[in-house]
Amino acid sequence: MRSSPRSSHQSPAGAGWGCREPGTFWTLNPQAPLSWLRPSVLWRSRNDVIARWFGDPVDDLRRRWVGAPGDQLLRTEEGDFSFLLLGDTGEGDSSQFAVVPPMLKTGADTDFMVIASDVIYPVGSINDYPHKFFHAYQGYQGPIYALPGNHDWYDGLEGFMRVFCDRRGDGSPGGWWKGGPGILARRLWRRPEPADEGALAEARKLRSAPEQQGVQPGPYWVIDGPSLRIVGIDTGIRGRLDREQGEWLRRVSADPRPKLLITGKPVYRNDQYQPCPIEGGGTVDEIVRSSNYVAVIGGDIHNYQRYSVAVEPGRKIEYLVAGGSGAYMHATHIIGRTTVVEEEDFTCYPLRGDSLVYYSQVYGRRLRRLGLGRFFDLSYPQAAAAIAERLGLEPSRPEGRNVKAGRRAKLIAFLLGVPRGGGTSPRRFRLPVGQAYRKLFSETSDSDTPPFFKSFLRLDVTSGELRIRCFGVSGCREHELSPPVEHELRISLH
C-alpha cells in the first residue's frame, strides 16, 4: 500500500481533523443536506420496497431500454489514457460538492469521467440533474459517462437514459405485475416526474462544449483500449443482471485482453462476498474469475475498501469499493478483522479509528442537550486503541499505538458497533448494529463541515500497467490544493 505523506495514514491533519481553513466548495452553492428520514423522501423512494415485496420489474424495463444488446461499445482509446471514477455522487449538498475542487485539480488532464452508481439522489429524477450533475460538474472538461445505481432506477431510469443516452421512455413498468397484488403494485409504483424543460435546457448549457459531449449506448457498455478493456454493467435495484446482459457480459469478457469491471454494486464489501447473480444461472464473479479480469470496482457503499483476492496460484484480482464521492459516509469501524481476505490484503478509507471518532462526535453533538456530549467526545488515540483491542489489530497511525483504551472508549466502541475479533476469534455478544449503521444510522449522520472523508479514484492505463489511486477528500483548503493519496495500486497488464 502506498499513501502520500499528507494522508490520513500519517497524521490527524492528513485526515482533516483540526481543519484550519474550509475549502472553496462553499462557493459552488451546495444545497442543504438531504434528509433521508423525511417522510416525503421515503415516499418518493418507495419503488425499492415495491420491487422487493411484489417482484422487481427492472429486468423487463432494461430489456425495453436496450433491446437486443449489440457490442455496446462506448468509445475506443488509442495508446495511454486516464480517467476519473466517482461513485454515489448526487446528494447535491456539501458532501458532494466538497469532492469537486480536488477532483478537478487531480483530473484536469484525464480523458473522461465515469460515475459508478447513484448519479442522482433520492430517486434519479430528471429535475435533480440541473444542480446535482450539470452545475456540479460544469468545470470538468471531458465527457462524463455513468452506470446506474438502485436510486437511478427508482424512476424507471428515465432521467438517466435521457441525460446519458439521449433517449426517452413512457415511465411505465409495463405488464410486469399480475393478479390482485399486482394491481396494488402498479398503483403504488412511482412514475417519473414531468421534466422542467426550461431548467433542463439552461442546465445543459453548463456542459455544452464539444469536448464535454458523449452519448453512451445504454446503461451498460464497453470502453476499449489497446492494453485494457473496461466493462461496465448495470445491477439494477437488487444487485443482479438480466439474462440478456449476462449473455452479453460473457461475450465481451471472452476478449483475451486484461479487463476491468465497473459495477453499480461491489462484489466484496464490509467483509462480505456477494458475487451478483445472473438471471438464468451463474454469477458475475464467476465470469470475472475465468476471463482475465485484473480488477473490479463497485459503488453503492459510501466509502473506499480494497480486497486483494487470490483466485488461483500466482493470480490476484483487486476488488474495490468506491462509492464515497458524494453521499453520507458509511462507517468503516463496523468492519471486523477481515475474513474474506487476510487483513494485510484489506484497506479502507476512512480508517476505522477515524470513522469511530467521526460517529462519536456526531452522537456527541446530538446528545449534548442530554448532558452526554462530553461522554461521546472520543480522541483518535483512544478510538484506535479500543478498536485495536476489540479486533486484535495495530492502529494505523503512530499516535494510536502504545495506548491503552479506557473504559469509556471501550463502551463507546461497543455501543457504536465495533465488532469483536474476526473469523479466527470467537465472537461474544455485541449489539447487532452493523446493518443498522448502513441502513439507518449512516443516513442520519451526514456532516456539513470538514472532515468529510469522501474519496474518488484516478485510473491511468499504459501499455503495461493499470495504476489506481484513491484520493481522500477532507473538505479542507490545503487538501483541495494538494489532494492526498490514501491508497495506490499498480497492476501489471502483461
Side-chain angles (χ1 to χ4, degrees):
M1 184 195 77
R2 300 181 183 180
S3 59
S4 73
R6 299 171 306 279
S7 75
S8 68
H9 293 266
Q10 306 300 322
S11 69
W17 298 116
C19 184
R20 293 174 300 212
E21 180 185 0
T24 59
F25 63 91
W26 291 106
T27 65
L28 301 177
N29 299 318
Q31 296 174 339
L34 178 63
S35 174
W36 286 96
L37 292 185
R38 187 179 301 162
S40 60
V41 172
L42 295 174
W43 177 243
R44 290 179 71 200
S45 305
R46 65 189 180 272
N47 285 0
D48 182 277
V49 177
I50 295 170
R52 295 175 190 277
W53 285 6
F54 296 96
D56 187 357
V58 163
D59 288 351
D60 279 0
L61 283 169
R62 190 187 294 111
R63 291 184 183 103
R64 289 163 57 189
W65 281 119
V66 175
D71 292 338
Q72 302 298 104
L73 182 62
L74 174 55
R75 60 187 288 156
T76 301
E77 300 292 333
E78 296 181 0
D80 300 348
F81 65 97
S82 60
F83 65 99
L84 294 171
L85 190 147
L86 280 63
D88 298 76
T89 55
E91 277 200 352
D93 56 14
S94 296
S95 297
Q96 176 181 2
F97 280 81
V99 177
V100 173
M103 174 271 291
L104 292 177
K105 184 171 184 63
T106 302
D109 61 338
T110 54
D111 296 282
F112 57 90
M113 180 199 297
V114 173
I115 299 177
S117 185
D118 294 342
V119 181
I120 299 294
Y121 289 107
V123 294
S125 171
I126 187 64
N127 293 321
D128 285 329
Y129 272 88
H131 182 76
K132 299 178 181 181
F133 178 76
F134 289 104
H135 171 65
Y137 304 122
Q138 60 183 300
Y140 183 70
Q141 295 305 305
I144 301 176
Y145 309 112
L147 295 164
N150 53 308
H151 287 266
D152 299 308
W153 269 105
Y154 291 171
D155 77 334
L157 214 63
E158 295 276 340
F160 181 99
M161 292 296 292
R162 182 162 182 186
V163 169
F164 293 104
C165 306
D166 197 23
R167 295 175 59 189
R168 302 191 192 194
D170 60 11
S172 168
W176 170 256
W177 294 292
K178 307 293 183 183
I183 295 175
L184 178 62
R186 285 194 295 273
R187 293 200 173 191
L188 288 175
W189 185 260
R190 178 188 174 276
R191 276 16 180 222
E193 302 168 1
D196 184 336
E197 300 293 348
L200 184 61
E202 284 300 309
R204 286 187 181 276
K205 294 177 183 178
L206 299 176
R207 286 190 47 82
S208 59
E211 61 271 18
Q212 293 176 311
Q213 307 310 303
V215 177
Q216 58 189 65
Y220 53 92
W221 38 255
V222 168
I223 295 174
D224 268 343
S227 59
L228 182 73
R229 167 168 276 194
I230 302 170
V231 180
I233 59 174
D234 169 21
T235 53
I237 290 178
R238 301 185 64 186
R240 69 184 192 188
L241 268 59
D242 61 277
R243 188 188 310 271
E244 289 80 3
Q245 186 180 181
E247 294 172 351
W248 168 84
L249 179 61
R250 289 186 176 93
R251 186 171 69 251
V252 300
S253 298
D255 186 282
R257 278 172 291 187
K259 287 171 286 292
L260 164 69
L261 181 71
I262 306 176
T263 169
K265 292 187 182 293
V267 173
Y268 286 87
R269 85 287 292 274
N270 300 337
D271 197 32
Q272 298 175 354
Y273 174 58
Q274 299 188 5
C276 188
I278 299 173
E279 182 186 24
T283 69
V284 167
D285 197 43
E286 168 194 313
I287 297 172
V288 164
R289 295 183 181 223
S290 63
S291 304
N292 199 23
Y293 279 85
V294 297
V296 179
I297 304 175
D300 189 55
I301 305 299
H302 304 165
N303 51 45
Y304 174 80
Q305 299 174 42
R306 164 255 186 171
Y307 299 83
S308 185
V309 180
V311 295
E312 59 187 48
R315 180 185 172 218
K316 283 190 172 184
I317 299 177
E318 301 291 345
Y319 292 86
L320 307 181
V321 174
S325 302
Y328 55 88
M329 186 260 283
H330 278 139
T332 58
H333 65 263
I334 63 171
I335 304 173
R337 192 173 71 247
T338 51
T339 59
V340 294
V341 297
E342 296 295 326
E343 183 66 27
E344 57 264 27
D345 291 322
F346 169 76
T347 306
C348 66
Y349 175 79
L351 301 175
R352 291 179 176 100
D354 284 326
S355 174
L356 182 57
V357 173
Y358 176 94
Y359 275 93
S360 71
Q361 291 188 358
V362 167
Y363 284 98
R365 289 193 296 269
R366 292 187 172 182
L367 297 174
R368 191 170 293 141
R369 292 182 179 179
L370 299 178
L372 295 174
R374 293 184 65 183
F375 174 81
F376 278 92
D377 188 10
L378 194 62
S379 68
Y380 175 83
Q382 281 292 301
I387 289 175
E389 181 175 310
R390 292 185 69 84
L391 302 187
L393 299 173
E394 183 179 63
S396 300
R397 284 207 300 269
E399 71 268 21
R401 300 168 192 161
N402 301 317
V403 175
K404 183 176 177 57
R407 291 181 179 179
R408 183 172 63 91
K410 293 178 184 179
L411 179 57
I412 292 172
F414 170 74
L415 292 174
L416 297 189
V418 179
R420 172 72 72 177
T424 60
S425 301
R427 296 194 179 191
R428 299 178 177 87
F429 171 77
R430 65 183 174 90
L431 294 178
V433 298
Q435 288 300 314
Y437 259 99
R438 197 175 77 82
K439 294 291 187 181
L440 178 60
F441 295 162
S442 293
E443 298 181 9
T444 62
S445 302
D446 204 2
S447 174
D448 209 32
T449 57
F452 289 101
F453 295 109
K454 300 297 176 281
S455 57
F456 64 92
L457 305 185
R458 174 176 171 138
L459 295 89
D460 297 279
V461 184
T462 66
S463 60
E465 182 181 73
L466 168 61
R467 184 187 187 194
I468 305 176
R469 283 175 286 173
C470 172
F471 290 87
V473 176
S474 69
C476 300
R477 177 60 172 160
E478 62 180 304
H479 294 151
E480 282 188 356
L481 296 173
S482 183
V485 178
E486 289 293 335
H487 189 245
E488 179 175 351
L489 290 169
R490 291 179 178 269
I491 303 171
S492 174
L493 299 180
H494 290 304

